Amino acid sequence: MGRKRAQVTLTDVAKRAGVSIATASKALNARGEVAAATRRRVQQAAEELSFQPNVLARGLISGNTRTIGLLTDELSAARFAIPVLLGAENALGNEQMSVLLCDARGDAIRRRHYIRTLLARQVDGFIILGDANDLRPSLTRDIPVPVVYAYCESDDPSDLSVIADDAGGARLAAEHLVSLGRKKIAHITGDPGYRAARDRAAAFTEVLDAAGLPPAGDPLFGQWSQRWGRHATARLLAAHPDVDAIFCGSDQIASGAAEALRELGRGIPGDVALVGYDNWEVFATECRPALTTVDLNLEQLGAKAVQHLFAVIDGEQHSGVVRQPGRLVVRESSAL
C-alpha cells in the first residue's frame, strides 16, 4: 500500500507564498487588512498545494463556521423558490461559504427539528425561503442567530424580509400597454387569496386611473392556469368586444389567453396586445407569439437576501421589507 499523503497545513501555504502564517490566515479568511496582491499570492499558493482548511477549527477560533442554514417548505413544488435558492447559493459560493438546505415540507414538527439541527451545526445565520411572496409567521423567536426572509414576508415588522415587488412589476406591464396607445385594457389574474394577485391588480388599476383610462371591466380573478386564461378571455371579449390589450397575472394564464384570442380570430398584437407575468420560459417563449412579460429577477432576490444576511451577521441592524424590482421583457405579443 502507498503511504498516506501528508495533509497540507496553513504553514505550508504561508511558506510557499512567502508570508507569515498570520498573513496567510487573514488572506484566506477575506480579512480586509491584506493587500490585494498578497491575497492573490496566498490564494494561488493554496490552490497549488490543494489546501483544504479545517472548517471546524477555523470556526472555533473565529466564532463562525461560514455556513448558512436555508429553511424552506415544499421544495419539490417550489416553482419560484428554486431560482431564489440558486441566487442565494451563488452569492454564498462567491464568498466561499456553504449552505445547508432543509425542506420542512409544510410540517411544523419537521420545521422545529431542522431549526434545532441547523443550530447544532452552528450555522452563522438563517435564510427562510418562501414560494408565494406572501406573509408568513415569524420564526425568529426560535432562532438565536441572524435571520432573513426571502420571497416571503415575516409577519413581525422587526424582522427583515426581501420580497419581489409585485406592485412595481404590474406597473411596468400596465405602463407598457398604455405607452403603446392601447385604450381598452383588461386584467386577468389568479387566485385572490394570493397577495401577489391582489397587489398586481391594484397597481394595474392605479396606472390606468393615472392615465385617465377606465379598465375594460373589473379584474377577473380565477386560477393560475391556462384553462382559466382561455375561459376568462372568452368571457371578457363577450362582455367587452372592443378590448385591445390584456395584462395577465401569470404567463400560464397569458398562454391560455393567447389560445382563446386565436380561436376567436383576434390577432396578437395587432388586435389585442398581450402581456404576462413571471417570465416562466416554458410558457413565455413557447407561446405563439412569444410573450412580453415581467421577470421577477428572483436570482437577484436570493443574492440580495444573502447580502442583507451578511450585513446583519456583521452587526448591522436591519428590519422591515426590501422589495426587489422586476424588469419588463418585451417580445412579439406586444411589439408591432
Side-chain angles (χ1 to χ4, degrees):
M1 293 179 65
R3 296 178 62 187
K4 185 177 179 180
R5 184 178 177 183
Q7 183 176 3
V8 177
T9 67
L10 183 62
T11 301
D12 299 323
V13 175
K15 183 176 179 181
R16 189 178 188 93
V19 299
S20 69
I21 295 175
T23 298
S25 176
K26 292 175 183 178
L28 292 174
N29 284 285
R31 298 281 293 276
E33 56 262 39
V34 179
T38 302
R39 188 190 312 280
R40 286 194 296 271
R41 192 164 72 250
V42 172
Q43 290 172 339
Q44 182 177 351
E47 290 178 8
E48 291 172 353
L49 294 172
S50 299
F51 173 64
Q52 295 293 328
N54 186 323
V55 176
L56 178 58
R58 187 167 68 185
L60 291 171
I61 294 169
S62 66
N64 61 63
T65 59
R66 299 188 67 78
T67 303
I68 299 300
L70 198 152
L71 182 62
T72 187
D73 285 310
E74 303 294 349
L75 190 60
S76 62
R79 150 72 182 95
F80 298 102
I82 294 297
V84 180
L85 170 61
L86 292 174
E89 195 278 332
N90 285 338
L92 290 165
N94 289 341
E95 297 297 326
Q96 297 184 326
M97 296 188 72
S98 301
V99 59
L100 297 177
L101 173 64
C102 294
D103 180 8
R105 304 180 193 174
D107 187 306
I109 295 175
R110 186 187 296 266
R111 187 181 302 113
R112 288 194 294 271
H113 164 70
Y114 281 140
I115 290 173
R116 290 193 299 267
T117 300
L118 291 169
L119 290 173
R121 294 293 187 96
Q122 297 184 319
V123 295
D124 299 327
F126 273 70
I127 293 176
I128 308 299
L129 177 59
D131 188 54
N133 208 45
D134 219 323
L135 279 172
R136 62 151 302 136
S138 175
L139 299 174
T140 306
R141 64 183 177 277
D142 300 322
I143 304 175
V145 295
V147 180
V148 170
Y149 296 79
Y151 203 63
C152 59
E153 182 181 342
S154 168
D155 62 3
D156 184 344
S158 64
D159 289 335
L160 176 63
S161 306
V162 182
I163 64 174
D165 187 357
D166 280 311
R171 281 192 289 270
L172 289 176
E175 288 168 355
H176 173 65
L177 292 172
V178 170
S179 73
L180 296 175
R182 305 293 168 140
K183 303 297 184 184
K184 302 293 183 178
I185 308 174
H187 183 43
I188 301 172
T189 192
D191 185 346
Y194 285 82
R195 184 175 66 171
R198 300 191 303 272
D199 287 353
R200 293 170 194 174
F204 163 80
T205 302
E206 288 172 4
V207 170
L208 264 60
D209 286 346
L213 296 174
D218 294 330
L220 296 176
F221 292 93
Q223 297 176 324
W224 302 103
S225 68
Q226 290 166 276
R227 181 178 181 180
W228 166 242
R230 291 191 295 269
H231 174 77
T233 299
R235 189 170 117 192
L236 172 68
L237 291 181
H240 303 276
D242 55 350
V243 163
D244 60 6
I246 303 174
F247 166 45
C248 294
S250 77
D251 293 336
Q252 201 165 356
I253 292 171
S255 180
E259 292 178 21
L261 288 169
R262 285 195 303 273
E263 290 172 1
L264 294 167
R266 303 295 182 96
I268 308 170
D271 297 322
V272 180
L274 186 63
V275 175
Y277 204 101
D278 298 332
N279 200 23
W280 191 350
E281 190 166 334
V282 68
F283 292 106
T285 61
E286 296 302 319
C287 183
R288 293 182 298 152
L291 283 173
T292 292
T293 184
V294 176
D295 192 308
L296 282 70
N297 287 336
L298 293 179
E299 288 197 28
Q300 292 91 325
L301 190 155
K304 182 173 288 186
V306 169
Q307 293 168 4
H308 283 284
L309 183 60
F310 286 164
V312 178
I313 291 172
D314 287 341
E316 298 181 23
Q317 297 297 318
H318 290 266
S319 62
V321 177
V322 177
R323 287 178 171 79
Q324 170 67 37
R327 62 187 176 91
L328 186 71
V329 181
V330 178
R331 296 192 180 98
E332 288 86 347
S333 69
S334 70
L336 290 171

